[in-house]
């Protein structure tokens, strides 16, 4: 599997030519949804999103960010916002697990885990920023280290043009929580405190430990 191209060290390169994101945003949704609702629900949600071709073969390369937006929209439509958020958060945790297992070098993980949390947080934010194009697509990422740490995603594909009375970017929250709890502090927890779907300028995630 080609994965997301997400690495903790090295240069970020020039990024994708078009707005594409890593396949984890599709693969892990399929896994989390199957575990929660079964394969029939996966088929229904993916077909409604126009992604039926992935039912035979999940993507192995970067995908168009519009596919991720349509998948999240379909998930909310068919499951309701509350259940969709839960599935999306689980998918985010699974994405974090994938990155830890395949994309972040073990020596780097060991180093971060023994550094003071504030320093580890600063280094992890810098690494996420270098690789932000793999999950934010045409959007942008920024971070403010500290306790709490704040992470900002602007115009990302998870909430897209959605409008809701609650935050919708649980996929990001789950991914960030897994990385910060493993690499910065074991009690790190992430909550989305502002979301563009609610009219905010950016989706803001607060990391506390």
């Amino acid at each position: 599997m080609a994965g997301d191209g997400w690495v903790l060290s090295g240069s970020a390169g020039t990024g994708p030519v078009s707005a594409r994101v890593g396949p984890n945003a599709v693969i892990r949704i399929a896994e989390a949804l199957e575990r929660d609702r079964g394969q029939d629900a996966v088929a229904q949600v993916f077909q409604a999103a126009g992604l039926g071709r992935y039912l035979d073969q999940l993507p192995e390369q970067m995908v168009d960010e519009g596919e991720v937006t349509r998948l999240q929209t379909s998930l909310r439509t068919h499951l309701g916002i509350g259940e969709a958020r839960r599935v999306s958060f689980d998918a985010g945790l699974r994405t974090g697990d994938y990155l830890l297992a395949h994309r972040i070098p073990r020596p780097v993980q060991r180093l971060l885990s023994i550094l003071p949390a504030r320093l580890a947080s600063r280094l992890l934010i810098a690494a996420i920023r270098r690789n932000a194009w793999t999950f934010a697509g045409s959007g942008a990422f920024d971070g403010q280290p500290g306790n709490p740490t704040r992470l900002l995603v602007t115009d990302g594909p998870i909430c897209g043009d959605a409008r809701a009375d609650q935050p919708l970017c649980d996929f990001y929250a789950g991914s960030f929580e897994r990385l910060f709890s493993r690499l910065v502090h074991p009690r790190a927890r992430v909550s989305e405190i502002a979301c563009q779907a609610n009219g905010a300028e950016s989706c803001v995630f607060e990391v506390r430990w």
Side-chain angles (χ1 to χ4, degrees), residues 161-176:
D161 295 326
R163 292 293 177 265
D165 59 1
Q166 56 188 292
L168 299 180
C169 300
D170 298 86
F171 178 82
Y172 290 147
S175 301
F176 294 146

Side-chain angles (χ1 to χ4, degrees), residues 6-124:
W6 204 99
V7 293
L8 197 75
S9 57
S11 64
T14 58
V17 174
S18 60
R20 301 179 72 80
V21 297
N24 272 311
V26 173
I27 296 170
R28 308 310 158 195
I29 288 291
E31 291 178 352
L33 182 55
E34 181 174 11
R35 179 184 178 185
D36 189 74
R37 292 292 185 95
Q39 186 56 42
D40 287 347
V42 176
Q44 185 180 33
V45 169
F46 273 63
Q47 291 282 9
L51 302 178
R53 65 188 183 282
Y54 290 148
L55 297 174
D56 295 324
Q57 178 66 55
L58 288 169
E60 296 183 348
Q61 306 293 333
M62 306 289 281
V63 301
D64 188 286
E65 66 177 354
E67 296 183 351
V68 174
T69 300
R70 296 202 310 272
L71 182 57
Q72 288 285 330
T73 299
S74 181
L75 193 68
R76 293 190 290 268
T77 297
H78 286 82
L79 273 63
I81 290 179
E83 183 67 12
R85 291 186 61 187
R86 190 169 69 83
V87 169
S88 194
F89 187 82
D90 182 23
L93 293 175
R94 292 166 182 265
T95 296
D97 287 336
Y98 174 86
L99 296 175
L100 289 164
H102 301 286
R103 295 293 163 186
I104 303 177
R106 297 286 181 178
V108 176
Q109 293 188 43
R110 288 194 292 269
L111 174 62
L112 288 177
S113 67
I114 63 175
L115 289 174
R118 284 180 181 268
L119 177 55
S121 175
R122 185 179 298 275
L123 294 175
L124 181 55

Side-chain angles (χ1 to χ4, degrees), residues 6 8 92-93 96-97 99-100 104 109 112-113 115 117-129 135 141-152 172-191 205-209:
W6 204 99
L8 197 75
L93 293 175
D97 287 336
L99 296 175
L100 289 164
I104 303 177
Q109 293 188 43
L112 288 177
S113 67
L115 289 174
R118 284 180 181 268
L119 177 55
S121 175
R122 185 179 298 275
L123 294 175
L124 181 55
I125 288 172
I128 295 172
R129 186 181 291 115
F135 63 86
F141 168 85
D142 201 2
Q144 303 164 357
N147 188 11
T149 286
R150 287 199 170 184
L151 310 173
L152 293 81
Y172 290 147
S175 301
F176 294 146
E177 182 165 302
R178 183 65 92 217
L179 293 178
F180 274 82
S181 65
R182 294 288 178 84
L183 300 176
V184 174
H185 196 287
R187 290 198 297 273
R189 296 295 179 267
V190 176
S191 58
F205 304 85
E206 195 168 75
V207 189
R208 292 182 176 272
W209 56 82

